[in-house]
Amino acid sequence: MEIANQLRNTDPETTVILHDRPLTPSLTSILAARRIVLGWDVRYSAVGGEGRLREVNRFYWSADGDPRAAAEILRRYHITHVIVRSPDDRVHPDILAGLRLILKLPDVALYEVPAGS
């Protein structure tokens, strides 16, 4: 709920959330009334959904990879906010260092993607 409350303070026209569970409905995005990169109905309603799913998963498993690939995903989908869950998500440390921490809870954090990233 706290993350949804934070996101409600953002512009609904420009906010795009990246979260690590695109195959399940996002209660956070529903409560915040903000867009997400990929909804749960990947195969039936999202054009290019399978490819987008691979990219979301690649972002959240980028810790051992090239941070430029993860940064490109942020740019490609105009992502403004990223939800990271500990310890499940393995986002590249260089990517996390470039994001602005908005809210930190024991097992989840909300980051803002700086404009122009």
Side-chain angles (χ1 to χ4, degrees), residues 14-70:
T14 59
T15 300
V16 179
I17 305 164
L18 182 63
H19 70 98
D20 66 340
R21 297 176 180 148
L23 295 180
T24 58
S26 171
L27 183 59
T28 300
S29 66
I30 292 167
L31 293 174
R34 301 299 183 264
R35 295 177 293 156
I36 55 176
V37 171
L38 185 61
W40 62 274
D41 191 8
V42 173
R43 289 171 184 86
Y44 302 108
S45 65
V47 174
E50 295 289 338
R52 209 175 263 215
L53 175 61
R54 282 190 296 278
E55 290 183 320
V56 168
N57 289 334
R58 189 176 308 127
F59 179 87
Y60 282 103
W61 284 94
S62 64
D64 298 326
D66 182 357
R68 292 174 296 185

